[in-house]
Amino acid sequence: MLTGTKVALRARHEDDIPVLRTELYDDVAGSSRAEAQPWRPITPDSKDPRLVVDDKAQGLVQFSVVELVGGALVGTATLWGIDTHHRSAHIGLGLLPAARGKGYGTDVVAVLCHYGFTVRGLHRLQIETLSDNAAMLRAAESNGFVREGVLRSSAWVMGEFLDEVLLGLLARDWKPKP
């Protein structure tokens, strides 16, 4: 398990899946903002790749996020698009609605940076988020990510095109939090 100051990232448990499906992915508007594909309903017993972890999958590491005190499930965290040649990857996270606004996102990004740079030996981490996602922009920038560009009208979300912000962090610029 990887720990931060408020949360821990652990392996996905089978009983996490129904909670994550209901709280994160059954929300059409929220899921549409977080996913690069159109929302679609998923049957309860399906092996949804966003939730069911394939331990043999290359290029993808999925975690469940739990509160450090009490261990309650609060979301998901992912290192995806892992490129072992270029030593780079992308960061993604999703917090349950009741867990938002508590500083967990900033801590999740910090723990993913530790995992990516220290455990995996990566050189670069990258985040893409909608330009109006102030919480993710704050979480990224407070962990040292730098805005590298705007992808204008690049995301189709609930009937409109939205801008995405591209942020990057290099291992040499990362400052682990004590």
Side-chain angles (χ1 to χ4, degrees):
M1 186 172 343
L2 300 167
T3 59
T5 58
K6 295 181 178 194
V7 298
L9 277 54
R10 64 157 168 78
R12 177 81 31 89
H13 295 174
E14 192 66 33
D15 56 346
D16 295 345
I17 294 172
V19 175
L20 295 171
R21 177 176 284 130
T22 300
E23 297 271 338
L24 291 178
Y25 298 114
D26 282 350
D27 171 15
V28 178
S31 185
S32 294
R33 292 178 56 79
E35 299 290 320
Q37 301 171 18
W39 180 88
R40 62 187 174 92
I42 303 291
T43 56
D45 59 345
S46 73
K47 300 295 181 196
D48 184 344
R50 297 172 302 181
L51 299 172
V52 177
V53 175
D54 177 359
D55 289 326
K56 295 178 183 122
Q58 297 297 311
L60 174 70
V61 180
Q62 297 165 285
F63 299 96
S64 285
V65 180
V66 295
E67 290 177 320
L68 208 50
V69 177
L73 179 68
V74 295
T76 65
T78 308
L79 204 65
W80 62 276
I82 300 169
D83 183 327
T84 57
H85 177 69
H86 295 292
R87 295 177 45 210
S88 63
H90 302 257
I91 285 178
L93 67 100
L95 295 175
L96 303 181
R100 296 174 190 158
K102 298 180 178 181
Y104 293 156
T106 298
D107 202 31
V108 170
V109 172
V111 177
L112 284 172
C113 288
H114 168 76
Y115 178 72
F117 293 136
T118 303
V119 177
R120 298 295 297 250
L122 297 175
H123 171 70
R124 174 186 168 80
L125 293 174
Q126 182 170 311
I127 296 173
E128 301 86 10
T129 190
L130 296 175
S131 62
D132 65 354
N133 188 346
M136 186 59 172
L137 291 168
R138 262 191 322 274
E141 290 172 334
S142 71
N143 278 289
F145 280 80
V146 175
R147 292 183 194 215
E148 296 179 335
V150 174
L151 306 171
R152 297 179 307 133
S153 293
S154 62
W156 178 253
V157 179
M158 301 295 290
E160 65 178 322
F161 283 105
L162 300 175
D163 294 347
E164 289 180 284
V165 177
L166 173 67
L167 302 109
L169 178 61
L170 302 179
R172 69 175 179 242
D173 299 328
W174 175 57
K175 293 175 180 49
K177 297 189 180 198

